[in-house]
Amino acid sequence: MEGAMKDLINLLQELSSCPGPPGGEEPVAAIIRRHLEPSCQIQRDGLGSLIASKQGSRKQPRLMLTAHMDEVGFMLQNITEGGYLRLQPLGGWIASNLPGQRVHINGSKGAVEGIVAAVPPHFKKEQKSELKVEDLLVDVGAASKKEIASLGLQLGDLITPVSHFAIYNKKLLANKAWDDRVGCAVLVAAMKQLSSHPNTVVATATVQEEVGTRGAVTAVEVVKPQAAVVLEGAPADDFPGITKDSPQGAVGKGCQIRLFDPSTIIHRHFWQWVTELAKKNKIAHQLAVRQSGATDARPIHLAQGGIPTVVLAVPVRYAHGHSGLIHLDDFQATLKLTLAILKKLDNKILKSLLPA
């Protein structure tokens, strides 16, 4: 394996293995800061988003390159008399996927592992209503509230899935949190590789995207960009039972260029220009009109009177679960397209994209 590719895989492993649910992104921010501080000016906003600026040959336009640091997780909501833990979801989960899975509760004495309680089929009665996360319990081997306290756990502790990094069939990477640590990895790699560019690029690693794109709301006020590129780990739709038509987020088929989701109609001239740039540079890509979901593009494109914004994504199989899969080729395609945009987008091109 080439050194550069090994470095990228190590970056992907480090970021995806790191715990960082909404409100607890600091370990992720520390990794990104370590990588970008040597070449960028670093600042933080009041909610905790990390902002890294790199000026090129010109100060304008200011381009916001953004990915969110948080992953879906939980907060310790309550403790039963018998020592079980109740969960408050942070982000979107399917409750029926959780029983039997392991989690880390990040307490004052370090991470404590637990199992989401699963009723064995021997005792299972017919389920009359849909299972909710609020109905679930976590077992950490404690028998009382006192034992829970002795483990260093208390209300408000943040909880993340237990998973491990693995490589399948040479190019598929497995781990938790690809939404959006794969976007964070593209952001870090692009900023480290970026040299000659006719603009100022402001890499922005946001917080709390999974609970309502909150970090982007404050970060865009600090960055004040003229255009934005949002990097995501988008749910793949290429496995059985997901779509009856051709997939728009197939793993191994390239960077996904989003045209629409319920929160954002992507700037038409911008995505058309990006698509032509991908074709010109022979970068594998796929177009997506999403019928659900939202990204940090929602608050960004509505800020400051309107900011042209495009969303690029690496497809993720089994997103918002304990383990997902991404393809190295998609990661590289997204990185190449990101760099092509940053190296090309100047004042003249940006002006041509805006309404006359």
Side-chain angles (χ1 to χ4, degrees):
M1 186 181 294
E2 295 181 6
M5 177 56 68
K6 188 174 181 180
D7 288 344
L8 288 175
I9 291 174
N10 288 339
L11 174 64
L12 286 160
Q13 179 176 358
E14 183 179 27
L15 284 168
S16 60
S17 299
C18 183
E25 300 93 346
E26 204 57 37
V28 187
I31 293 171
I32 295 173
R33 176 187 283 272
R34 190 184 78 241
H35 281 280
L36 297 187
E37 201 159 33
S39 60
C40 299
Q41 291 183 330
I42 306 291
Q43 66 181 115
R44 305 291 292 275
D45 77 358
L47 277 189
S49 295
L50 186 144
I51 298 165
S53 303
K54 180 181 278 192
Q55 185 177 320
S57 58
R58 294 184 180 139
K59 290 185 179 181
Q60 305 288 340
R62 286 175 64 82
L63 309 182
M64 184 178 188
L65 179 68
T66 183
H68 67 89
M69 296 186 285
D70 58 312
E71 61 186 292
V72 289
F74 308 93
M75 183 179 286
L76 202 169
Q77 189 272 329
N78 214 335
I79 303 166
T80 72
E81 292 297 331
Y84 291 94
L85 311 180
R86 292 201 182 275
L87 300 171
Q88 169 62 42
L90 300 176
W93 288 94
I94 296 177
S96 58
N97 291 343
L98 292 171
Q101 297 283 7
R102 299 187 183 195
V103 294
H104 275 149
I105 304 95
N106 300 288
S108 62
K109 296 182 179 180
V112 175
E113 188 168 303
I115 299 175
V116 181
V119 179
H122 314 70
F123 306 124
K124 190 115 175 156
K125 297 179 181 179
E126 185 178 349
Q127 192 166 303
K128 295 181 180 180
S129 60
E130 184 179 353
L131 187 65
K132 297 179 181 179
V133 173
E134 292 83 352
D135 300 327
L136 300 174
L137 297 169
V138 175
D139 189 340
V140 296
S144 66
K145 287 185 175 181
K146 185 177 179 180
E147 288 186 20
I148 290 293
S150 72
L151 294 173
L153 303 182
Q154 64 179 355
L155 299 189
D157 284 342
L158 297 172
I159 302 170
T160 48
V162 172
S163 188
H164 72 276
F165 181 84
I167 300 176
Y168 295 172
N169 198 24
K170 298 181 181 180
K171 286 192 173 184
L172 284 164
L173 307 185
N175 210 355
K176 68 174 185 65
W178 290 127
D179 178 8
D180 185 28
R181 302 296 163 68
V182 67
C184 291
V186 173
L187 180 147
V188 168
M191 293 301 284
K192 292 176 78 170
Q193 293 182 28
L194 186 63
S195 53
S196 177
H197 52 107
N199 45 51
T200 293
V201 180
V202 187
T204 310
T206 61
V207 298
Q208 299 187 37
E209 189 269 358
E210 296 291 359
V211 289
T213 62
R214 298 173 189 177
V217 173
T218 58
V220 72
E221 294 180 9
V222 177
V223 175
K224 293 180 170 55
Q226 276 90 48
V229 178
V230 176
L231 302 170
E232 264 291 354
D237 60 353
D238 64 342
F239 54 99
I242 298 300
T243 179
K244 61 183 179 181
D245 301 314
S246 299
Q248 299 180 356
V251 170
K253 299 298 184 181
C255 172
Q256 184 192 73
I257 303 172
R258 184 174 299 201
L259 314 185
F260 171 92
D261 66 41
S263 75
T264 312
I265 298 176
I266 303 299
H267 191 285
R268 191 170 190 84
H269 291 162
F270 199 0
W271 73 251
Q272 288 175 336
W273 178 77
V274 168
T275 302
E276 288 304 311
L277 195 62
K279 291 177 181 177
K280 183 177 179 180
N281 288 276
K282 298 181 180 179
I283 299 170
H285 62 282
Q286 45 196 324
L287 303 181
V289 176
R290 291 286 312 279
Q291 296 179 304
S292 61
T295 73
D296 277 341
R298 172 168 54 187
I300 292 170
H301 86 291
L302 296 176
Q304 299 174 204
I307 297 170
T309 303
V310 70
V311 180
L312 308 181
V314 176
V316 179
R317 279 193 195 140
Y318 325 124
H320 283 219
H322 267 61
S323 293
L325 289 172
I326 63 167
H327 201 293
L328 269 176
D329 289 352
D330 299 335
F331 171 78
Q332 289 181 295
T334 305
L335 175 58
K336 287 178 183 177
L337 185 52
T338 299
L339 283 167
I341 294 168
L342 301 182
K343 291 178 179 179
K344 190 76 174 176
L345 190 55
D346 58 14
N347 273 322
K348 183 178 179 181
I349 291 174
L350 181 57
K351 185 177 180 180
S352 73
L353 300 177
L354 297 174

